[in-house]
Amino acid sequence: QVQLVESGGGLVQAGGSLRLSCEASGRTFSRYAMGWFRQAPGKEREFVAGITASGNTYYADSVKGRFTISRNNAKNTVVLQMNSLKPDDTAVYYCAARDGYYPTHTLREYDFWGQGTQVTVSS
């Protein structure tokens, strides 16, 4: 069992930055692929970024070059650094863990989810 707790959301102006953190419980964090997803009002939850157990990273085209995902297996944390934020980035952001090597874009392939953290970008 893995419990995930996100933090770091908030209100920021367009062009600003936020750093989201996800802290995981459990001793087996390092074997999980991790993903960040987001859900805007009235829209489906979508993949944002993912990282393999060994640190290979993947991004949605909409955030490539602006967001960076990283992980620290010793501290059981995964971080999403978000720069050059746009109003379209406004959403609830979720951290998720998948018991497999690669992160995927498919929600049902993830085994554990955090409760989400709100990110609001004003124009």
Side-chain angles (χ1 to χ4, degrees), residues 1-50:
Q1 189 78 7
V2 176
Q3 291 186 325
L4 303 173
V5 179
E6 302 98 335
S7 62
L11 173 64
V12 65
Q13 288 188 330
S17 298
L18 281 174
R19 182 180 175 90
L20 304 184
S21 293
C22 174
E23 184 171 352
S25 65
R27 300 179 183 178
T28 58
F29 171 78
S30 61
R31 86 179 197 202
Y32 288 88
M34 299 298 297
W36 282 98
F37 289 77
R38 67 186 181 187
Q39 187 166 18
K43 295 187 177 181
E44 294 185 350
R45 195 172 298 189
E46 64 176 4
F47 174 84
V48 174

Side-chain angles (χ1 to χ4, degrees), residues 4 6 22 32-37 47-51 69 71 78 94-98 103-104 110 112-113:
L4 303 173
E6 302 98 335
C22 174
Y32 288 88
M34 299 298 297
W36 282 98
F37 289 77
F47 174 84
V48 174
I51 188 166
I69 187 172
R71 67 189 295 162
V78 60
Y94 297 90
C95 173
R98 178 176 184 265
T104 73
Y110 285 80
F112 304 102
W113 291 83

Side-chain angles (χ1 to χ4, degrees), residues 6 17 22 25 73 83-84 93 97 102 107 110 115 120-121 123:
E6 302 98 335
S17 298
C22 174
S25 65
N73 289 335
N83 299 328
S84 302
Y93 283 71
Y102 290 103
L107 276 67
Y110 285 80
Q115 82 289 350
T120 303
V121 184
S123 57

Side-chain angles (χ1 to χ4, degrees), residues 104-120:
T104 73
H105 291 218
T106 306
L107 276 67
R108 64 177 180 272
E109 294 184 359
Y110 285 80
D111 301 281
F112 304 102
W113 291 83
Q115 82 289 350
T117 185
Q118 177 70 47
V119 171
T120 303

